[in-house]
Amino acid sequence: MSPNSESGATASLNQHTINETLSRVPSAVSKTSDLESEKRAATGNTEQLPDDISEAEPRWWESKSLEDKPLDGWYGWGVVISGCFMLMFSMGCVNSYGTYQTYYHLHQFPDEPMSNLAWVGTLQFAVMNIFGIPSGILCERMDTRLVTFVGGVIMAVALIIASFCDSAPWKLILTQGIVFSLGASLVFVPST
């Protein structure tokens, strides 16, 4: 037997199987619809299903109403710009700590080794990420704008107090390393 005749026999067998399966499908569908109508009659539900699927009510994610559309106009763009500023002040200050560290080493703490000043930036990043989980929980339970406002106030107060730290680096670690990053976590999580 040649390979072409085997493949032709297999193709005709597959075509026969497909035709046989398709001939059974309408009977299976009618049996399913009969079972559905029996269930409705038994439960007293006389609601008819729509023949055309386009007549069915849209699911919650397919809503076409105007109230469910995203905000446009000045308010929507204001939210976007606010989110950019929140990310700039929270992650921007944390990621640009090297600039702070150089200034601190040259002007405020010249006798302090750079490795001690590096703890401020390390703690900023670590504390902000660790307290991201509780701030996410706060955002779910409270108004996001309130959480962000409180975080912004904490960040501002921490940087103002850090500007007065010129005698001991541990004060800088406490204010800019820990307190600032607590506020930054409250600002960063709602903005992302």
Side-chain angles (χ1 to χ4, degrees), residues 52-73:
D52 185 15
I53 194 127
S54 64
E55 294 176 14
E57 284 200 26
R59 297 178 189 97
W60 63 270
W61 64 85
E62 298 173 337
S63 179
K64 304 272 191 281
S65 68
L66 293 175
E67 294 87 26
D68 297 336
K69 290 193 176 191
L71 297 173
D72 289 331

Side-chain angles (χ1 to χ4, degrees), residues 69-121:
K69 290 193 176 191
L71 297 173
D72 289 331
W74 292 107
Y75 183 77
W77 283 109
V79 171
V80 170
I81 291 170
S82 300
C84 290
F85 277 114
M86 291 187 308
L87 286 173
M88 182 177 66
F89 289 127
S90 61
M91 276 305 283
C93 287
V94 172
N95 285 336
S96 64
Y97 177 72
T99 307
Y100 286 104
Q101 184 176 357
T102 304
Y103 177 81
Y104 292 149
H105 183 66
L106 292 176
H107 299 287
Q108 287 186 318
F109 307 107
D111 299 332
E112 200 67 36
M114 290 285 269
S115 59
N116 287 351
L117 293 174
W119 276 105
V120 177

Side-chain angles (χ1 to χ4, degrees), residues 20-32:
E20 187 177 307
T21 305
L22 288 176
S23 66
R24 291 186 204 158
V25 169
S27 63
V29 170
S30 65
K31 288 179 185 175
T32 305

Side-chain angles (χ1 to χ4, degrees), residues 37 56 66 150 175:
S37 58
L66 293 175
V150 169
T175 55

